[in-house]
Amino acid sequence: MSVVFAGLISINGIAGADAIVKIDGSSTVYPITEAVAEDFQKDTKGAVKVTVGISGTGGGFKKFCRGETDIVNASRPILKKEMDDCKKTGIQYVEMPIAFDALTVVVNPKNGWSNTITVAELKKIWEPAAQGKITKWSQVNPAWPDETIKLYGAGADSGTFDYFTEAIVGKAKSSRGDFTASEDDNVLVQGVASDKNGLGFFGFAYYAENKKKLKAVAIDAGKGAIIPSAKTVEEGSYQPLSRPIFIYVNIKSAERPEVRQFIEFYMKNASALVQEVKFFPLPTQAYTTNLEHLDKKKVGTVFGGKPEVDLRIEEVLKREASL
């Protein structure tokens, strides 16, 4: 990683080979946390082992609320059922927004017809009623070819699936079921890249890493076609598929030196590493606020356990500051 660290982390007080930080959850957030983990392990000279799994946001919260992990990667805020599950087991957590993502709709580079797709057209493709009925491009838009659409999307345990269906269909998890689903975004990348009629969705970073194999589609939510980019995410024009992404830290785990130092390292180096792995960083104050919340043990969420879309960066920061 070609990153200048914002101060080295002391390894005093870490219990040698037994020190481990366990993380699981979102495949979208994975590249950020994995980059942090890699550099933290180098910085602590192997004194701490950091494991980062991918079971989707939903799967990650299940493990987190059972007390099996210290941190969960989440591509959406915690939901009411997950809040209840954590409460039952006495798990308290600090919510930390770490970046913004542009959920990106992609097609094969040989697709010359759907450079722009409206939210209404996406809904027509993905809503439950489309299953077995909307099978050809021409059924979505008569100007498009009479060829079979091949769909690729996030699996049901994915926060990306939750967010996409909420934003496009109007209800989280409401989707047709006849598509290739995976928690591994690389599977979706390969699917669309190898199929002229492929269409899929996943986080911006996976598109950015595979620009030669994929083409991003401009999304028209009623105000013209907008391509995902740092500019359109920061100014709030890439809607409704621009979203905050998070880590949640078990407050009891954070009492262990290795977890505490990992979180400090994460927040001090997040801005550089977020950009390095093709996400959009938050203002510096956001990362400072996260550490203040950890210090003051400000637990809980500012999102109330319900799915939300159309969130701007400034709105997320304003809410977190008021926790």
Side-chain angles (χ1 to χ4, degrees):
M1 292 288 168
S2 54
V3 175
V4 177
F5 297 132
L8 295 177
I9 305 298
S10 167
I11 60 173
N12 292 337
I14 292 179
D18 295 331
I20 183 166
V21 180
K22 295 180 180 178
I23 308 167
D24 207 316
S26 165
S27 63
T28 300
V29 183
Y30 172 84
I32 301 174
T33 300
E34 176 65 12
V36 176
E38 183 181 314
D39 285 348
F40 177 73
Q41 288 173 116
K42 286 179 184 174
D43 193 59
T44 55
K45 297 180 172 58
V48 185
K49 182 180 179 183
V50 183
T51 63
V52 188
I54 302 176
S55 59
T57 298
F61 272 122
K62 286 173 187 172
K63 294 180 181 182
F64 183 75
C65 294
R66 290 196 296 258
E68 295 172 10
T69 56
D70 303 304
I71 298 166
V72 60
N73 291 328
S75 63
R76 55 153 173 79
I78 189 169
L79 298 176
K80 180 68 167 62
K81 184 185 183 305
E82 293 158 349
M83 292 166 68
D84 291 343
D85 288 345
C86 277
K87 190 173 182 180
K88 286 174 188 172
T89 54
I91 303 292
Q92 292 185 299
Y93 46 82
V94 178
E95 176 179 80
M96 297 186 177
I98 54 162
F100 251 69
D101 180 32
L103 209 163
T104 305
V105 177
V106 298
V107 294
N108 188 282
K110 293 178 181 176
N111 177 328
W113 56 89
S114 60
N115 295 322
T116 296
I117 295 183
T118 67
V119 170
E121 287 168 342
L122 282 173
K123 182 178 180 181
K124 191 172 183 179
I125 292 170
W126 286 99
E127 65 186 348
Q131 183 162 335
K133 295 179 181 177
I134 304 299
T135 59
K136 295 180 182 290
W137 289 99
S138 56
Q139 291 174 285
V140 182
N141 184 325
W144 294 347
D146 190 34
E147 295 184 32
T148 301
I149 305 176
K150 288 297 207 48
L151 297 174
Y152 300 85
D157 256 350
S158 165
T160 296
F161 177 75
D162 293 348
Y163 189 91
F164 182 83
T165 48
E166 178 74 27
I168 298 302
V169 180
K171 183 181 178 183
K173 297 188 183 296
S174 180
S175 171
R176 68 191 297 163
D178 55 344
F179 66 96
T180 299
S182 179
E183 312 297 343
D184 185 346
D185 293 308
N186 291 306
V187 171
L188 308 179
V189 167
Q190 293 309 316
V192 177
S194 61
D195 194 327
K196 180 184 174 183
N197 287 296
L199 180 145
F201 64 88
F202 36 74
F204 182 83
Y206 288 91
Y207 159 68
E209 288 296 316
N210 295 279
K211 282 186 177 180
K212 292 180 180 178
K213 301 178 184 177
L214 304 167
K215 183 166 69 172
V217 175
I219 304 301
D220 188 344
K223 296 181 180 178
I226 306 292
I227 282 281
S229 69
K231 181 176 184 293
T232 58
V233 168
E234 286 164 12
E235 71 185 14
S237 63
Y238 185 70
Q239 294 295 346
L241 296 179
S242 179
R243 58 177 178 163
I245 55 178
F246 306 84
I247 62 170
Y248 287 76
V249 181
N250 181 323
I251 194 69
K252 190 169 180 60
S253 293
E255 294 174 2
R256 303 202 324 264
E258 63 270 24
V259 176
R260 173 72 196 211
Q261 291 182 19
F262 176 75
I263 295 301
E264 288 178 356
F265 186 91
Y266 202 132
M267 295 307 132
K268 288 175 181 176
N269 295 287
S271 185
L273 287 169
V274 162
Q275 291 179 78
E276 187 167 304
V277 294
K278 314 300 184 193
F279 285 84
F280 311 110
L282 301 175
T284 303
Q285 181 56 42
Y287 303 113
T288 303
T289 298
N290 286 339
L291 288 176
E292 288 172 355
H293 285 178
L294 186 64
D295 286 338
K296 295 174 183 176
K297 297 188 175 181
K298 288 193 172 183
V299 297
T301 174
V302 298
F303 294 94
K306 296 179 181 178
E308 290 189 54
V309 297
D310 287 331
L311 287 165
R312 270 66 171 173
I313 291 175
E314 59 271 17
E315 168 64 17
V316 172
L317 300 185
K318 184 179 176 182
R319 287 195 199 181
E320 292 290 351
S322 67
L323 185 66

